[in-house]
Amino acid sequence: MSLSDQIRNSPGLKKFVHWMLIPTNQARPRLWVRIFLNRFFHKRGKNVIIRRWVRMDVLPFNPFSIGDNSMIEDFSTINNGVGAVHIGANSLVGLGNVIIGPVTIGNDVILAQHIVASGLNHNYQDIQQPIHKQGVSVAPIVIEDECWIGANAVVTAGVTIGRHSVIAAGAVVTKDVPPYSVAVGNPARIIKKYDPEYKDWVKAS
């Protein structure tokens, strides 16, 4: 049995290893994890810029990767504690974004300011227990290549935003958005689609 299997199969050992990586009741990994350990597990492309004031809550037990020429701006938070975070090449994560895995962001994507994309939800069904004691559920978010997500948008767990789509500022995306679409509002609705026959963007019917 491998060491990782032994850790998974032993609740006591698993709890100890978790404590070694993350202080109790916190999401931010310990300094030694951020400085020394993560570099052996995570992939960073060429010419990547991660600004000084980015909070990288990334741990070695879930993947994190960022492609060539991508940037994460200040005051953003990247968290892979419950699911992988992948950011493609030539993509921008703007000021103050919160990205909580599982989230996959494609190539040539623009995320404007103060966007929340969280693949995590808290369970709440048992009214006999506080919500924070009921665990979490996850569903992956996928933002395909060439999308532009406007400022203050929210992308909820389980949503896929199709290639070259635009999400307007302040939109709350609760359902999948087809490729080559423009979505606005709360909840987000499609107002335009690209029509390959007319080679133009037309109002959605």
Side-chain angles (χ1 to χ4, degrees), residues 12 14-34 55 59 61 132:
K14 185 177 180 180
K15 185 176 181 180
F16 173 72
V17 170
H18 195 272
W19 177 82
M20 288 288 292
L21 298 173
I22 315 169
T24 304
N25 296 323
Q26 295 188 38
R28 193 169 200 176
R30 295 185 186 277
L31 185 62
W32 75 274
V33 176
R34 301 199 302 271
R55 178 166 165 164
L59 293 149
F61 52 72
H132 71 87

Side-chain angles (χ1 to χ4, degrees), residues 43-49 65-71 87-92 106-108:
K43 297 179 180 178
R44 184 182 295 198
K46 297 176 182 178
N47 304 315
V48 166
I49 297 174
S65 66
I66 182 168
D68 296 348
N69 306 308
S70 288
M71 178 187 294
I87 300 169
N90 307 303
S91 289
L92 170 67
N107 302 318
D108 302 295

Side-chain angles (χ1 to χ4, degrees), residues 40-134:
F40 298 107
F41 291 89
H42 301 145
K43 297 179 180 178
R44 184 182 295 198
K46 297 176 182 178
N47 304 315
V48 166
I49 297 174
I50 298 177
R51 298 293 191 192
R52 179 180 179 184
W53 299 111
V54 174
R55 178 166 165 164
M56 294 294 292
D57 289 355
V58 294
L59 293 149
F61 52 72
N62 282 318
F64 168 76
S65 66
I66 182 168
D68 296 348
N69 306 308
S70 288
M71 178 187 294
I72 304 175
E73 289 282 15
D74 281 327
F75 314 116
S76 293
T77 298
I78 310 295
N79 185 305
N80 75 338
V82 296
V85 175
H86 295 292
I87 300 169
N90 307 303
S91 289
L92 170 67
V93 177
L95 290 165
N97 279 224
V98 177
I99 310 295
I100 301 174
V103 174
T104 299
I105 297 168
N107 302 318
D108 302 295
V109 171
I110 302 170
L111 302 184
Q113 301 79 36
H114 306 294
I115 292 161
V116 176
S118 176
L120 174 150
N121 275 315
H122 289 276
N123 299 326
Y124 61 89
Q125 289 82 0
D126 185 353
I127 62 169
Q128 305 302 321
Q129 291 193 70
I131 291 172
H132 71 87
K133 292 184 177 180
Q134 295 190 46

